[in-house]
Amino acid sequence: MKVDNVVDICWSPTDSILSLFVPEQGGGNQPAKVALVQIPSKVELRQKNLFSVSDCKMYWQSSGEYLAVKVDRYTKTKKSTYSGFELFRIKERDIPIEVLELDNKNDKIIAFAWEPKGHRFAVIHGDQPRPDVSFYTMKTAQHGGRVTKLGTLKAKQANALFWSPSGKYIILAGLKNFNGQLEFFNVDEMETMATTEHFMATDIEWDPTGRYVATAVTSVHEMENGFTVWSFNGKLLYRVLKDHFFQLAWRPRPASFLSPEKEEEIAKNLKKYSKKYEAEDQDVSLLLSEQDREKRKALKEEWEKWVMQWKSLHEEEKLERQNLRDGEISDEEEDDEEAKEVKEVEFEDVIDVTEEIVQE
């Protein structure tokens, strides 16, 4: 497949589709273009011509539903650039394209990331050291086929985005010159779950389930080498310091034996299934509680039996102890006898004495 002057290509994660970027040619007479090509037929599915382009960066969504192309364009004076996005809806008829510009199109775009298997994406934009983070969705109930802004977080110490593999949660990370700032954010609720830090962190890796995330300091730095494991909502679970630490990788999760239709059915009827398993869990819990009670009862009975044996032996040897003391009982037993008696004692206490002279 011959493409003159191509500078970048990206595969769709799910389909045999190649996206490619060709810069402007002939001093600007021939526009730059982004094209989608079917493989192996080499049929061009869609093409978009772009003008005054300085650079392009392509981002595929994990399900292959969308392609975002960040386009850096020259201003009219050619002295500076500004950025925007061309958003391709791959699965829709004729692959429609939307153009997205930020509220301030002169904002520098620092990072971009699609939500895995979802319809949302996040963008870090603005000036360091406190850029903004904006969230958008490609699909809403009101605007099914139009990109919509969900909200913007102002002045964040972040320069990298890490979505959970299951979506919904994202880490706004400040790596490199931000020294490992971490903000665990719930995009559904648009609220921060935790703000913390892994000093000098260089790598962030979610586990395949989306339940845990690991942050690491690799041997890029000479100090603080090791890794930390967090829960999805930012709770510290485990920390290991290890010299000459190079890489951390989670074990991949095996492919599901269930079809997508079956998984969807289970998700829809989860409450029905959960009632069954909650009842089973309760039965097991009650059984364990009963076993625990029986165990405690047996231990108590064993203890009381042991105490009664020693009390009986102590009583049997009482006479023998008295004989050894020439008829005197022991101090301990005397105290016990006195403790059993109730004595009433009367006493007078002089509180004050006053001498008074009485004159007749």
Side-chain angles (χ1 to χ4, degrees):
M1 180 176 174
K2 185 179 179 182
V3 182
D4 291 336
N5 302 306
V6 64
V7 296
D8 194 14
I9 60 171
C10 282
W11 280 107
S12 161
T14 55
D15 302 299
S16 300
I17 299 174
L18 199 62
S19 62
L20 54 91
F21 167 58
V22 178
E24 290 179 332
Q25 303 297 315
N29 294 325
Q30 200 172 347
K33 74 170 183 178
V34 173
L36 298 174
V37 181
Q38 185 83 51
I39 300 296
S41 66
K42 303 180 186 177
V43 173
E44 190 171 87
L45 302 175
R46 193 72 162 89
Q47 177 182 313
K48 179 71 180 282
N49 290 333
L50 305 167
F51 298 89
S52 301
V53 174
S54 68
D55 193 19
C56 275
K57 178 70 175 174
M58 294 177 284
Y59 304 90
W60 280 94
Q61 185 249 14
S62 63
S63 299
E65 286 191 59
Y66 309 110
L67 169 68
V69 180
K70 180 177 78 75
V71 183
D72 299 330
R73 289 183 170 90
Y74 291 110
T75 57
K76 290 182 179 179
T77 61
K78 300 275 186 177
K79 291 182 179 179
S80 61
T81 61
Y82 64 95
S83 300
F85 291 95
E86 305 283 336
L87 302 168
F88 293 70
R89 295 178 179 271
I90 308 297
K91 304 292 184 181
E92 295 182 22
R93 185 177 177 181
D94 297 329
I95 310 182
I97 302 171
E98 284 184 84
V99 177
L100 172 66
E101 288 187 348
L102 303 179
D103 295 338
N104 180 2
K105 70 177 185 179
N106 293 319
D107 275 0
K108 180 184 177 183
I109 294 174
I110 298 165
F112 175 97
W114 285 105
E115 177 183 27
K117 301 175 184 175
H119 305 284
R120 295 176 291 197
F121 61 89
V123 184
I124 301 178
H125 56 94
D127 297 323
Q128 303 279 21
R130 290 277 186 174
D132 298 337
V133 182
S134 294
F135 295 93
Y136 296 84
T137 181
M138 299 292 287
K139 188 178 290 187
T140 62
Q142 295 80 16
H143 307 290
R146 196 173 76 197
V147 64
T148 306
K149 185 177 178 180
L150 299 173
T152 296
L153 311 177
K154 296 289 187 180
K156 293 295 180 180
Q157 285 186 289
N159 55 16
L161 300 162
F162 297 90
W163 283 94
S164 163
S166 58
K168 185 177 178 178
Y169 306 111
I170 191 172
I171 295 175
L172 314 178
L175 306 180
K176 298 178 182 177
N177 56 324
F178 282 135
N179 286 327
Q181 298 294 321
L182 304 172
E183 183 170 341
F184 292 77
F185 193 77
N186 182 335
V187 184
D188 282 3
E189 305 297 330
M190 291 298 284
E191 66 179 14
T192 299
M193 299 180 292
T195 302
T196 184
E197 179 189 57
H198 184 174
F199 183 61
M200 298 174 69
T202 58
D203 296 72
I204 296 178
E205 293 285 344
W206 281 92
D207 95 299
T209 68
R211 294 174 63 194
Y212 309 105
V213 64
T215 57
V217 180
T218 62
S219 289
V220 171
H221 299 300
E222 294 181 1
M223 302 171 7
E224 302 291 331
N225 291 172
F227 66 92
T228 301
V229 177
W230 314 81
S231 67
F232 72 95
N233 58 355
K235 182 181 178 182
L236 176 63
L237 302 177
Y238 188 62
R239 175 170 284 161
V240 173
L241 291 175
K242 193 176 287 289
D243 289 339
H244 309 296
F245 182 79
F246 284 94
Q247 185 183 15
L248 180 143
W250 291 97
R251 179 183 178 183
R253 199 175 190 190
S256 174
F257 290 109
L258 302 175
S259 66
E261 292 76 19
K262 187 64 178 176
E263 287 186 359
E264 189 176 347
E265 180 196 334
I266 291 171
K268 283 182 180 177
N269 299 304
L270 196 58
K271 287 186 178 178
K272 183 178 74 176
Y273 294 123
S274 64
K275 285 180 182 178
K276 172 188 172 185
Y277 294 115
E278 282 169 7
E280 289 182 5
D281 288 345
Q282 189 173 8
D283 291 343
V284 171
S285 180
L286 289 172
L287 178 62
L288 292 173
S289 297
E290 186 62 32
Q291 289 175 346
D292 193 38
R293 279 195 296 272
E294 291 294 331
K295 185 179 178 181
R296 288 201 304 270
K297 183 179 177 183
L299 287 170
K300 185 180 178 183
E301 289 175 352
E302 185 181 349
W303 163 254
E304 288 175 347
K305 182 180 178 182
W306 183 85
V307 170
M308 289 305 296
Q309 283 177 345
W310 282 102
K311 280 186 177 180
S312 176
L313 182 61
H314 188 264
E315 193 63 32
E316 289 173 7
E317 293 177 345
K318 181 176 180 180
L319 184 60
E320 186 178 346
R321 289 196 300 276
Q322 280 183 299
N323 291 335
L324 290 170
R325 289 185 169 86
D326 297 326
E328 294 291 332
I329 61 175
S330 69
D331 293 341
E332 182 182 329
E333 288 168 335
E334 189 175 357
D335 290 342
D336 290 342
E337 291 297 325
E338 289 178 358
K340 293 174 184 177
E341 295 178 7
V342 178
K343 296 180 181 179
E344 290 186 5
V345 179
E346 292 184 5
F347 65 91
E348 292 183 1
D349 191 3
V350 179
I351 297 172
D352 189 28
V353 176
T354 303
E355 186 175 334
E356 224 178 274
I357 299 173
V358 179
Q359 295 180 350
E360 293 181 1

